[in-house]
Amino acid sequence: MNLLLLLCVLIYVSKSHDLEDSENCDYGAIFRLTEKGLTYAANTGFPSMWKEKKWNLSLSIYDVNETVNGVNYFIEKLHLKQNMENDNFKVSVDIDSNPGCLKVTINDSLAALQGSVLCSDIHTRHEAQHCNITIYIPWYFKVHIGRDTDGSFNVQMCNVTGESCSILLANITINYTDCVNPTERLCEKGTEEFKHNFIKNKLNKTLQLLDVCNRLDKVIDAISKKMKKTDLAPVIQPGFFFKVNLSMSEKPSYNKSYIDTYHKGDVFWHSTLEKYPTECVNFDRDKSTSKMLYLWISKYGIRNFLKGFQRHGMLHYMITAENLNAGHGLNTTCEVGVCVGRLVPSIAEKYPNCFVDLDWYSLKTPNVTFEKNLAVVKGEIVMFVNIRDPRPSGHTTRIAKLNGDVTLRLKLYITNGTRIQGTVVAFDPYMKNIDVDPKITGFDEQTVNFILLGAVVVTAEPKLNEFGNKGLCIPISHAKLKNATIHLIDNAIVIGSDVEYGNDTYCTPSFF
């Protein structure tokens, strides 16, 4: 993963750019990357980026001989060592909200000069100390993450007054290790003066030969081209169902400790690109920065997924006697339990030893709201009641049609950093407007809903929970969410999470 490409960590790369622009709303999703997340991205991505370019810089400095504060420092040779693979490697990222730049500082360990030093007292030559010496050379660069004209990400060196890349000579540090006669502490005696003389006489001009800033400019250009190729039209269920247009609709906004990027969020049915536009909504955003990243998803975006299922006839469910434990409940001949045959004797008499099938259909796209950190889905349904003779040659007879509504309350959560899952907190169907065969008596509103609550809910809820346990795969490549939370506010789902970089942990979708 290259530096700053973590911005696309929630975007699965596919190969489609043919989605039309949103006409109804500027954005349906907001992605926030905090200084904490940017720093993690830089520390995990910068070493691999440097190695990818195979820039094994080479630099040596010979015959350093400085006398300060009564101590002579003699170094025969210093050589440049790049320490990206040790625990000392550290990058820090600071956000400059005006004019909108990221200041990425390499703190000490990418470039370090190493050698051995002999420190001698110029008055008493017998006092001397041999040490290994490491001179750490910090430097920084400034980049801007922006929006290209086609809504893709763009990264470039910051065009600001002053330097956008610089070696911080004033901030170099010097460490002595493995010293002979450590109690003498001669080397430490004049370190500050030696450092300034060394910079003035040897280091300043020599480091210019590294040409770090010009090299880095080319790297940032390569990153920008790679990010521009990142398709912001992920397939939510690869090869099936939906695409989402996550192109950027506005320029990112830079704040003191985070960047917010704005994405359209229009939903498309994958096979036909039938469009379900995002409806405008004002996100209620706080200034949370304790996690590496945050994602706001409009409730209308969630509703658009249901709209696709509705239009394509997928909000349909059949409940049969075989679904119920021990086969009780939807039988016409039974002696115990909440059973159709016991509660409606006319059905038992007319259709003995048969099963009752309940065929449910959604009549229109369900509505979605968020209440008390629960997702509440409310829909209008029609249910057909069929009597089925279980024998191979048996027939099925429809005896009733019912209209009603159903309310489903869900608790959402993220597990293993790869899936959004859900648990049913409450499932409340209510049927009315019963159109029943005149020969059937006692199949009224009260009895039907009692049967549903006593028999069907105990079947439907486990099925729904099984569905929810499969979950929706979060399309993350080479990373997974860590300590993720989901918070439901009035008009959006808010995901906050840290990220753990690792092998390719993109999960296999199994929502259906």
Side-chain angles (χ1 to χ4, degrees), residues 478-512:
H478 305 299
K480 65 179 180 179
L481 301 185
K482 185 178 180 181
N483 301 322
T485 60
I486 293 183
H487 182 57
L488 304 183
I489 59 177
D490 179 57
N491 50 23
I493 294 177
V494 184
I495 298 175
S497 183
D498 292 330
V499 173
E500 185 176 278
Y501 177 78
N503 295 325
D504 194 348
T505 53
Y506 176 70
C507 58
T508 302
S510 61
F511 197 70
F512 290 89

Side-chain angles (χ1 to χ4, degrees), residues 148-216:
D148 220 333
T149 53
D150 60 357
S152 60
F153 283 104
N154 173 276
V155 182
Q156 58 189 357
M157 297 293 286
C158 261
N159 184 18
V160 296
T161 302
E163 293 181 316
S164 59
C165 175
S166 180
I167 296 173
L168 299 171
L169 292 175
N171 294 340
I172 70 170
T173 57
I174 298 178
N175 285 352
Y176 304 100
T177 57
D178 300 326
C179 294
V180 179
N181 299 327
T183 58
E184 297 291 338
R185 305 179 70 88
L186 282 173
C187 290
E188 296 180 13
K189 184 177 179 181
T191 292
E192 284 303 312
E193 291 84 353
F194 165 67
K195 181 175 76 171
H196 292 302
N197 283 5
F198 173 64
I199 291 172
K200 180 175 66 176
N201 297 330
K202 285 284 186 180
L203 190 59
N204 200 350
K205 292 182 180 179
T206 307
L207 284 179
Q208 292 178 8
L209 299 175
L210 289 177
D211 200 21
V212 171
C213 293
N214 284 336
R215 293 172 182 265
L216 188 65

Side-chain angles (χ1 to χ4, degrees), residues 8 151 263 268 274:
C8 299
H263 305 267
F268 297 79
E274 173 187 350

